[in-house]
Amino acid sequence: MSVPFAFVPRQISRSTKVQGAEPSKTPSVVPQQRARSPSPPSDSEDGSEAPESVTTDKDKKGKRRAVDTHAHGTSEDIAALTLLALSDYRIWSDADLRGKLDECLNISDTSAAGFVPINYLIRRPPLRGFLSVEPSEVEVVKALRAHANEVLEVRMLVSAPSSSVWYGTGKTSRKKDVGGYEVRRKDWEKLLDHPLRNLSSEQWDERTLYVECVPTQYRSLAGIARFTQALLPTLPSSLPSSIHVQNVTLPLHYLDKPGDIPKCRGYALVTFSTTEQRDVLLRDWPWKRRPYDATGHGTLEVKEAQRFGFRTIPKMRWDQLNEEYVAYRQQLIDKTFEANEHASSTSRPDIPSETDVPSHVRPKDEDLPIRALASPPPGGAPKTTTASPYPYGCLVFVRNIHPETNKTTLKALFAKAFEDKGKSTGLDYVDFNKGMDSCYLRLASPHHTSILTEHFTRHPTAQVNGLDDTGRAPGENEQTIKMELIEGKREALYWKNIPEKVRRQAVEKALQAEQSINVCGPNILMLSSTATTRAGRKRKR
């Protein structure tokens, strides 16, 4: 590519000095020592517009060669993101871009009509936020001339900007606001009355696909645009838009926080300029995958799509599946709550007695785990022994916690039940999944379980926000934290999914706690635990 006109004098001057210093070197190759010398002050926005030293592939070694390879991939990404930034969908959805572009298209000077400053695009999505490093104007120009020359037209400003639409009428405090390059679509004359500008959101949805299992090397906003573009067959020139991939959206993950730039996890929503393009990918890459043929023919993108199991469905069908999933999830939560309410209102009819167990499967040894699940004596719960499969009476189900909370906050919140009485916490583990409004608590012993449930029964508490570790009295529209002791089959099913080593440790803790209570009493146990904890802290200091 030829060096931009504005920097030709600087390149000539630098080359002359190099030739005078080392006449044996080829004039087009600048020595590496000279390339590291400080460059003169530049009038460009950040100095990056000056042409870099021209070197051959043989001169690049080690990390320099790796950096240049990465830059080549970034060049394609820059071109793909610029096409998305000037697509019909972007013009339709971005009110600021649409208003300024319309005003620029209506000027009398046709030579300047439709041009958009490259700096304006660099400072806005999708170029901003979806590249690891913000590109300079020169990098964008090189990328467009190399990969989007058939669709976009780039020009360099050799005089004052022709239109104040993009730059404003007053003096700017930043030189970078007035860039040296502008770009416009080659079909700019049709932009004012383009048919795609009058589409509704429902019509855009009809042109959108949900794609899944995108190959790893294309898992970025620009990579998905290039990948789906490559999967399309050769298209006729009579299409309404020269930009075939109009938009790429990365759906939010449940772990993403509000305002975060979503990360690509192998799935996306891709919008095309026509429904025919959407139908082509639906036909070639259906949701039900075809058997992978390693000997198949096709382009690199096609082979990678087959290897990773790439598949597509219409966005409207994807929306329906999302609604079905949300409804099913809520149904499961409601059933769980109903089962909890029903279990709490009954007096343990779900625990099988010894007579309910068939004789041929009854253990001969009274200390086997199945014996520990036998019916408890009247008015009491099963007693934990060394042969118990898990500690009885140490599991509590909690509802109405804040869905944005975390384990650390919950542990501090529930520890208040023990601190109010001057006792050390008996909370062993908080079993919580992010995004849920319920959790399970494992206590050290049934005695600690009684203290915890009694405290939150006598003191109604609501968690105001995700980081609220103290709680407060519930307001008019706030839900009270509710606790339920889990027993019987539900208790056995829960502990069945816990590793054997953890179950054994929990049994040992419960036995130690019960032994201390029997010998010293509950108050002595708590005070000694507090003293032990303080002594441990002093030793650590």
Side-chain angles (χ1 to χ4, degrees), residues 352-358 362:
S353 64
E354 185 176 357
T355 58
D356 295 332
V357 182
R362 293 180 189 173

Side-chain angles (χ1 to χ4, degrees), residues 189-265:
E189 296 178 350
K190 305 176 182 178
L191 289 183
L192 280 176
D193 53 355
H194 200 283
L196 294 181
R197 296 190 61 175
N198 299 321
L199 296 181
S200 62
S201 58
E202 291 79 11
Q203 290 173 314
W204 279 116
D205 287 345
E206 292 176 355
R207 292 165 164 78
T208 304
L209 281 179
Y210 171 76
V211 300
E212 194 175 84
C213 299
V214 176
T216 307
Q217 61 269 37
Y218 299 106
R219 291 186 180 180
S220 65
L221 198 74
I224 294 176
R226 294 190 288 109
F227 175 69
T228 51
Q229 170 79 34
L231 293 181
L232 291 173
T234 304
L235 301 169
S237 58
S238 59
L239 290 175
S241 177
S242 55
I243 301 177
H244 306 310
V245 178
Q246 291 284 317
N247 187 56
V248 177
T249 302
L250 302 179
L252 291 175
H253 192 265
Y254 75 96
L255 294 177
D256 293 335
K257 298 179 181 179
D260 287 353
I261 297 177
K263 298 179 180 179
C264 183
R265 294 177 170 87

Side-chain angles (χ1 to χ4, degrees), residues 97-110 112-117 155 162-166 182 184 188 192:
L97 173 63
R98 182 174 63 254
K100 291 184 177 181
L101 188 59
D102 288 350
E103 188 176 347
C104 184
L105 288 169
N106 286 319
I107 63 177
S108 57
D109 185 6
T110 57
F115 274 103
V116 181
R155 74 168 185 171
S162 56
S163 174
S164 61
V165 174
W166 308 98
E182 294 180 328
R184 72 176 176 186
W188 63 270
L192 280 176

Side-chain angles (χ1 to χ4, degrees), residues 68-381:
D68 291 343
T69 303
H70 175 70
H72 177 69
T74 304
S75 176
E76 295 181 351
D77 290 346
I78 292 173
L81 292 178
T82 306
L83 289 173
L84 293 177
L86 293 174
S87 67
D88 301 284
Y89 181 89
R90 178 67 61 175
I91 297 173
W92 172 81
S93 61
D94 191 333
D96 183 72
L97 173 63
R98 182 174 63 254
K100 291 184 177 181
L101 188 59
D102 288 350
E103 188 176 347
C104 184
L105 288 169
N106 286 319
I107 63 177
S108 57
D109 185 6
T110 57
S111 63
F115 274 103
V116 181
I118 289 180
N119 260 337
Y120 175 84
L121 300 178
I122 291 175
R123 298 194 303 271
R124 298 170 62 85
L127 278 169
R128 184 172 188 175
F130 291 96
L131 289 172
S132 57
V133 180
E134 182 178 296
S136 65
E137 277 192 297
V138 171
E139 290 173 335
V140 176
V141 170
K142 292 179 179 179
L144 297 182
R145 288 176 176 170
H147 306 291
N149 197 38
E150 297 179 356
V151 181
L152 301 179
E153 175 185 354
V154 181
R155 74 168 185 171
M156 182 183 65
L157 292 175
V158 293
S159 60
S162 56
S163 174
S164 61
V165 174
W166 308 98
Y167 306 98
T169 55
K171 293 184 178 180
T172 177
S173 59
R174 298 192 308 168
K175 279 189 175 183
K176 66 184 299 183
D177 289 337
V178 182
Y181 295 91
E182 294 180 328
V183 60
R184 72 176 176 186
R185 287 171 48 169
K186 291 191 175 181
D187 60 347
W188 63 270
E189 296 178 350
K190 305 176 182 178
L191 289 183
L192 280 176
D193 53 355
H194 200 283
L196 294 181
R197 296 190 61 175
N198 299 321
L199 296 181
S200 62
S201 58
E202 291 79 11
Q203 290 173 314
W204 279 116
D205 287 345
E206 292 176 355
R207 292 165 164 78
T208 304
L209 281 179
Y210 171 76
V211 300
E212 194 175 84
C213 299
V214 176
T216 307
Q217 61 269 37
Y218 299 106
R219 291 186 180 180
S220 65
L221 198 74
I224 294 176
R226 294 190 288 109
F227 175 69
T228 51
Q229 170 79 34
L231 293 181
L232 291 173
T234 304
L235 301 169
S237 58
S238 59
L239 290 175
S241 177
S242 55
I243 301 177
H244 306 310
V245 178
Q246 291 284 317
N247 187 56
V248 177
T249 302
L250 302 179
L252 291 175
H253 192 265
Y254 75 96
L255 294 177
D256 293 335
K257 298 179 181 179
D260 287 353
I261 297 177
K263 298 179 180 179
C264 183
R265 294 177 170 87
Y267 51 84
L269 295 168
V270 184
T271 304
F272 300 92
S273 60
T274 65
T275 56
E276 289 76 14
Q277 295 168 330
R278 178 208 65 178
D279 294 339
V280 168
L281 287 188
L282 280 176
R283 183 190 68 243
D284 294 343
W285 307 100
W287 190 249
K288 293 184 178 179
R289 300 185 181 95
R290 298 167 182 169
Y292 171 57
D293 183 10
T295 62
H297 301 284
T299 63
L300 174 63
E301 291 80 8
V302 171
K303 293 180 180 178
E304 289 297 293
Q306 292 175 346
R307 188 165 71 93
F308 279 84
F310 179 73
R311 58 181 183 172
T312 64
I313 56 172
K315 180 181 182 296
M316 290 184 285
R317 176 56 182 159
W318 178 73
D319 291 334
Q320 293 175 359
L321 293 175
N322 268 344
E323 294 174 1
E324 293 175 5
Y325 168 76
V326 172
Y328 178 69
R329 177 179 176 273
Q330 187 60 41
Q331 183 181 4
L332 291 179
I333 294 176
D334 294 340
K335 286 184 177 180
T336 303
F337 288 164
E338 291 176 3
N340 293 338
E341 292 290 344
H342 177 70
S344 61
S345 62
T346 58
S347 57
R348 303 177 53 83
D350 52 351
I351 300 182
S353 64
E354 185 176 357
T355 58
D356 295 332
V357 182
S359 58
H360 65 279
V361 297
R362 293 180 189 173
K364 296 181 180 180
D365 189 351
E366 295 289 341
D367 292 332
L368 288 179
I370 194 169
R371 181 66 181 176
L373 289 174
S375 178

